[in-house]
Amino acid sequence: RNFKRQFECRSDIERLNAPFLSIYESLIPTEEEKAKQKQLLTLLEKLVTKEWPEAQLYLYGSCANSFGVSKSDIDVCFAIENADLNKSDVLLKLADILQSDNLQNVQALTRARVPIVKLMDPVTGISCDICINNLLAVENTKLLRDYAQIDVRLQQLAFIVKHWAKSRGVNETYQGTLSSYAYVLMCIHFLQHCKPVILPCLQGMERTYAVTVDNVECAYFDQVEKLRDFGCRNRESIAQLVWAFFNYWAYCHDYTNDVISVRTGRIISKRSKDWTRRIRNDRHLICIEDPFETSHDLGRVVDKYSIKVLREEFKRAAEIMQYDSDPCVTLFEPY
Ligand code: ATP
Ligand code: MG
């Protein structure tokens, strides 16, 4: 049954398109919400440049990469060129400034893996995390946003997958499951591989954009408006893609040997990356190569317990997509 299931999807799958599309649409942030995010960014810029005139603020993460669902927090990167700057001092000072301007719940988390200041703006009701000089995140945000402009099915698939992951409790890096960023890379990789392909490999094309940040070269083809017809030979609809995505991660991915790599547009081997054994806490039980920081495995948070949870969830989702009478409800049932 397993073998057959890998290649044959339910005959009534097309009926699921409309309900999946309406879930997708209900998750898109409204213009009003976008405007409020801008308003908060403008306020933060005003406060920051008073103290650090040379600093710049960038939005990154889901509020800027096209994969943000409504009511998300915003992620802001504070960029300042100053080699001797002490991040903790800046964060503490920043927290002081923000607090005196009536922003709420201001906290400086100086010991976190990525040190940040957290806050809530009572005017817009939006929460925000500010990090310092995390410019690679700004670059990977642009890469994801560029991919999103090529084919709307990427955004549709990623919204459904993120919504599923949040509902099922498998979007918690501190519990050993995957970040939203990792799930979006999994979706991009999947669409680079379906037949006919829906997405190209931008880093494998002519470089129209190139910057070097933290000694990492970020270069790729970013004239994505020229690629709008790229995936048009593939007519698969969202329901089929959701089914095939879960089927791939439930039954087809080779967890023992393979690394998914959006950078190369291919599957590469764990051996070629020397990701075959556990080093410290990096176990490489599911391998997702970061497109720019290539030594970084986004699956490294996954441990021997959470890998079971994840794979069971992929199987559950694949089963539901195949046999359930109402997948659009069952898939997202709270765990
Ligand atoms: P959500 O809607 O869940 O907030 P998000 O895309 O904002 O989704 P976060 O986990 O908040 O996801 O991450 C914010 C951004 O930080 C990502 O878009 C990415 O640019 C960067 N990022 C997150 N985790 C990593 C990581 N492990 N390595 C590199 N960059 C990362
Ligand atoms: Mg975020």
Side-chain angles (χ1 to χ4, degrees):
R1 203 177 99 184
N2 263 3
F3 180 78
K4 202 168 161 213
R5 175 165 54 194
Q6 286 175 24
F7 301 102
E8 241 175 56
C9 105
R10 62 196 283 168
S11 56
D12 63 342
I13 191 102
E14 295 298 324
R15 278 199 327 171
L16 303 177
N17 278 323
F20 271 119
L21 283 178
S22 54
I23 294 172
Y24 158 70
E25 273 152 24
S26 71
L27 294 169
I28 298 175
T30 60
E31 285 305 315
E32 189 192 350
E33 209 180 323
K34 287 272 160 205
K36 283 186 174 168
Q37 295 179 347
K38 278 266 160 61
Q39 186 188 333
L40 175 56
L41 183 68
T42 309
L43 168 70
L44 296 173
E45 274 168 343
K46 200 185 84 197
L47 297 173
V48 161
T49 45
K50 231 191 257 170
E51 177 69 32
W52 295 278
E54 71 284 25
Q56 292 227 347
L57 294 187
Y58 297 98
L59 284 178
Y60 74 102
S62 65
C63 59
N65 67 14
S66 314
F67 298 103
V69 302
S70 75
K71 314 218 163 51
S72 302
D73 300 350
I74 68 171
D75 299 299
V76 173
C77 172
F78 173 112
I80 185 160
E81 275 184 44
N82 178 352
D84 351 292
L85 146 145
N86 176 311
K87 276 193 186 177
S88 297
D89 293 347
V90 176
L91 284 173
L92 291 169
K93 179 146 204 182
L94 184 60
D96 257 354
I97 294 172
L98 299 170
Q99 194 130 37
S100 17
D101 201 82
N102 288 331
L103 289 157
Q104 289 177 356
N105 308 345
V106 179
Q107 284 180 63
L109 307 181
T110 54
R111 285 152 190 267
R113 194 180 61 82
V114 179
I116 51 169
V117 174
K118 289 177 105 45
L119 61 93
M120 205 279 281
D121 173 27
V123 178
T124 57
I126 297 176
S127 295
C128 166
D129 290 352
I130 307 178
C131 66
I132 298 185
N133 286 347
N134 190 1
L135 291 171
L136 271 172
V138 176
E139 293 307 323
N140 66 40
T141 295
K142 172 174 156 59
L143 180 71
L144 266 45
R145 183 171 64 237
D146 287 336
Y147 269 112
Q149 287 180 55
I150 300 171
D151 196 298
V152 71
R153 287 172 289 184
L154 170 59
Q155 203 187 30
Q156 293 169 347
L157 177 64
F159 272 39
I160 301 283
V161 169
K162 275 179 69 171
H163 184 47
W164 161 83
K166 285 182 205 283
S167 315
R168 300 298 301 168
V170 288
N171 181 206
E172 310 284 358
T173 47
Y174 67 92
Q175 289 180 346
T177 56
L178 300 169
S179 65
S180 298
Y181 176 56
Y183 282 113
V184 175
L185 291 173
M186 288 158 81
C187 293
I188 296 175
H189 172 263
F190 174 75
L191 298 180
Q192 285 176 329
H193 278 261
C194 53
K195 294 214 167 60
V197 293
I198 292 182
L199 291 178
C201 168
L202 294 176
Q203 288 168 279
M205 298 167 66
E206 178 201 349
R207 298 163 166 210
T208 54
Y209 175 81
V211 294
T212 300
V213 271
D214 302 343
N215 295 320
V216 177
E217 190 183 44
C218 307
Y220 61 96
F221 184 79
D222 77 336
Q223 296 175 3
V224 284
E225 62 289 349
K226 296 186 180 156
L227 299 173
R228 288 276 158 70
D229 296 330
F230 186 89
C232 68
R233 284 198 304 127
N234 184 317
R235 308 295 290 256
E236 281 184 18
S237 53
I238 184 62
Q240 265 173 322
L241 293 171
V242 170
W243 170 81
F245 176 88
F246 285 124
N247 202 58
Y248 173 77
W249 286 100
Y251 304 112
C252 309
H253 182 71
D254 180 348
Y255 287 80
T256 312
N257 299 305
D258 289 354
V259 176
I260 64 157
S261 164
V262 163
R263 170 182 63 99
T264 58
R266 299 211 181 96
I267 285 186
I268 56 183
S269 71
K270 287 195 194 181
R271 224 173 336 102
S272 71
K273 305 207 52 110
D274 201 19
W275 283 355
T276 49
R277 59 218 145 82
R278 173 174 174 182
I279 297 178
R280 283 182 297 273
N281 266 342
D282 295 6
R283 294 177 177 83
H284 306 298
L285 300 174
I286 173 171
C287 294
I288 303 159
E289 182 194 57
D290 187 89
F292 297 134
E293 279 184 284
T294 55
S295 62
H296 187 166
D297 175 9
L298 291 158
R300 70 182 176 186
V301 288
V302 177
D303 60 36
K304 63 181 179 184
Y305 303 105
S306 58
I307 188 68
K308 289 201 186 116
V309 173
L310 266 178
R311 293 184 66 171
E312 283 306 312
E313 282 297 329
F314 290 135
K315 285 185 195 158
R316 173 187 179 272
E319 292 281 310
I320 288 170
M321 286 304 294
Q322 184 73 315
Y323 301 110
D324 196 86
S325 58
D326 198 1
C328 297
V329 172
T330 320
L331 202 54
F332 308 105
E333 265 165 12
Y335 60 104

